[in-house]
Amino acid sequence: MSRVTATTTSKPSGLLPRPILPERHEFLLPATIGGVPVSFKCPALRYPVSQRGITLILNHGLTGHKELYHPAIIRLLSHQDSATYDLREIWTMDLPNHGEAALLNRRLLDDHKQEGARKGSGGVCTVMDFAVYLNAFLTLPRFRGHDMIGFGHSGGCAVWVQTLTKFAHVYPNALILSEPTLMFPGMSPDDPRSLHGAANVRGARVKRDTWSSRTEFKKWVTKSGRSIWARWDPRVFDIFVEHGLEEVTVEGKGTHITPRLRKEEESFLYACSEHTVEPSQFASMCKAFNGPGKRGVHVVWAEYEEFISKNAKMDILDAAEHRIATQRTIMGSGHLIPQLKPDALGDTMHELLGSIGSGTRSLL
């Protein structure tokens, strides 16, 4: 089922007029929670650009949401007049327990958490559940015949790998992985990916997650200076305040603000097992993207090695059997590239699409 809740008012040929505003769409997707079949509501944003060319599909990393890419997308679109490629449309979508999707799916998510608590395990979304969900999105009839290019960041990269090696009925023509936190069996517990993953599991469980209002939250972030949010680009931070938080009413206690992704769900997703894939999986995916008609896997690294050390990069490249088509580094950025350097990410996506789609711009 597809429910379009906002649409463009006209259908001009060629490039659509500026500014390009996203349309909100909502889909009902077959998926799973802990392997149990469910149907999730999937809100998504579509940026219509032209009548032909690349369809770019972005999924966010853990704790993200579909709107956080907006500044990077606006930057990417600022290059369209000089682009050497045709861009048809851009899509961003929420993972089922993130962002607006968490609000739409809350009752279902909470019911399964309660069932998991009774059983002593399960009941929360896993990366494999996200892979089922992403596969359902990619196979929507509206994308039939599209020149799809996928983009994933951080933990979202493992979702792409699992989707394309375990469930995919549709393969994009290229894939861009930003700071992929991919892990492999037998990885050293001293690897930065292991250390940061374990720290995030612990930290997510005990971190503060309630404030009296969005205003208090913003003041707390500014005053503390130590919060990860304090480092974000101000535009992305303001978007998170609007779309990453929700107001909750507790009987007898009034209302408060809390992240839409609940911390018990967030903590589970940081476990190393959620990001672990077999090297052969990753290699087979990269090989498929080097096949006829495909345009490769492309990796974007951050300059500062917060999660991914030089050794970790080599580990990932070795697992890919060195079938990565191109690599780029965003200078001045740490791991959270979309949040920290959205303009640089938009510029990099433009460069990548120029390489991936070189020569595809119509001369009509």
Side-chain angles (χ1 to χ4, degrees):
M1 177 183 73
S2 170
R3 289 179 294 187
V4 181
T5 56
T7 58
T8 52
T9 57
S10 61
K11 296 181 179 180
S13 60
L15 289 178
L16 296 174
R18 304 294 191 270
I20 296 175
L21 299 176
E23 308 166 357
R24 182 190 178 278
H25 293 246
E26 186 179 310
F27 306 97
L28 188 64
L29 301 181
T32 56
I33 299 180
V36 177
V38 296
S39 292
F40 275 132
K41 293 177 180 178
C42 172
L45 297 179
R46 173 181 179 260
Y47 293 75
V49 184
S50 74
Q51 305 301 313
R52 56 182 174 260
I54 293 166
T55 292
L56 180 63
I57 297 178
L58 301 95
N59 82 326
H60 57 77
L62 304 183
T63 76
H65 52 86
K66 61 186 182 299
E67 293 85 3
L68 73 80
Y69 282 118
H70 184 73
I73 289 171
I74 294 303
R75 181 70 168 212
L76 166 62
L77 295 176
S78 73
H79 296 292
Q80 283 305 291
D81 289 341
S82 61
T84 60
Y85 55 90
D86 282 319
L87 185 56
R88 181 175 185 169
E89 59 191 24
I90 302 169
W91 286 84
T92 66
M93 34 91 81
D94 285 326
L95 292 174
N97 58 352
H98 290 61
E100 183 189 3
L103 304 183
L104 297 174
N105 296 312
R106 180 71 69 208
R107 177 174 291 183
L108 182 61
L109 293 166
D110 286 349
D111 286 349
H112 279 261
K113 275 193 289 188
Q114 291 172 10
E115 181 65 19
R118 283 194 293 268
K119 293 180 177 178
S121 65
V124 295
C125 287
T126 68
V127 165
M128 201 66 76
D129 296 326
F130 294 160
V132 177
Y133 177 85
L134 177 58
N135 179 61
F137 185 82
L138 296 176
T139 54
L140 287 169
R142 68 175 304 125
F143 296 128
R144 209 166 286 152
H146 282 223
D147 179 10
M148 286 197 294
I149 293 177
F151 180 99
H153 173 70
S154 186
C157 297
V159 177
W160 276 105
V161 175
Q162 298 289 16
T163 299
L164 297 177
T165 57
K166 295 288 184 68
F167 305 106
H169 299 103
V170 174
Y171 243 76
N173 290 322
L175 182 63
I176 302 168
L177 301 178
S178 167
E179 280 282 286
T181 51
L182 297 176
M183 305 181 190
F184 308 102
M187 189 176 69
S188 168
D190 295 325
D191 187 288
R193 291 167 291 178
S194 296
L195 295 173
H196 282 286
N200 283 340
V201 168
R202 295 189 299 270
R205 291 172 179 164
V206 300
K207 69 179 181 181
R208 180 176 178 181
D209 67 340
T210 61
W211 297 265
S212 63
S213 66
R214 285 178 167 84
T215 299
E216 193 216 349
F217 172 76
K218 293 180 78 169
K219 288 180 179 178
W220 176 80
V221 170
T222 302
K223 184 177 180 180
S224 71
R226 296 188 301 274
S227 165
I228 189 171
W229 295 299
R231 299 170 50 206
W232 288 14
D233 181 282
R235 296 165 297 172
V236 181
F237 176 68
D238 286 343
I239 289 170
F240 173 78
V241 171
E242 180 178 355
H243 297 283
L245 302 173
E246 67 170 304
E247 185 176 279
V248 175
T249 300
V250 179
E251 188 174 354
K253 295 184 179 180
T255 62
H256 65 266
I257 297 299
T258 193
R260 293 179 180 181
L261 174 65
R262 299 295 189 252
K263 63 182 182 181
E264 66 273 12
E265 299 173 30
E266 177 186 352
S267 175
F268 179 85
L269 291 168
Y270 289 130
C272 292
S273 58
E274 291 300 297
H275 305 272
T276 298
V277 301
E278 292 291 337
S280 58
Q281 268 184 276
F282 191 44
S284 68
M285 186 196 78
C286 294
K287 182 178 180 180
F289 275 110
N290 287 332
K294 302 300 182 184
R295 283 166 268 164
V297 175
H298 307 260
V299 177
V300 178
W301 305 109
E303 177 186 9
Y304 303 133
E305 298 173 355
E306 294 176 338
F307 264 74
I308 306 174
S309 65
K310 287 183 176 63
N311 287 338
K313 288 179 184 178
M314 291 307 303
D315 191 28
I316 292 168
L317 296 175
D318 286 345
E321 297 180 353
H322 296 272
R323 289 189 169 101
I324 301 300
T326 66
Q327 299 178 66
R328 284 170 169 76
T329 299
I330 293 189
M331 304 306 292
S333 185
H335 177 65
L336 297 177
I337 294 172
Q339 291 94 324
L340 297 170
K341 297 290 181 180
D343 288 337
L345 177 59
D347 292 341
T348 300
M349 287 195 289
H350 168 64
E351 293 171 8
L352 280 166
L353 294 180
S355 172
I356 294 169
S358 181
T360 62
R361 167 141 270 187
S362 173
L363 298 178
L364 294 178

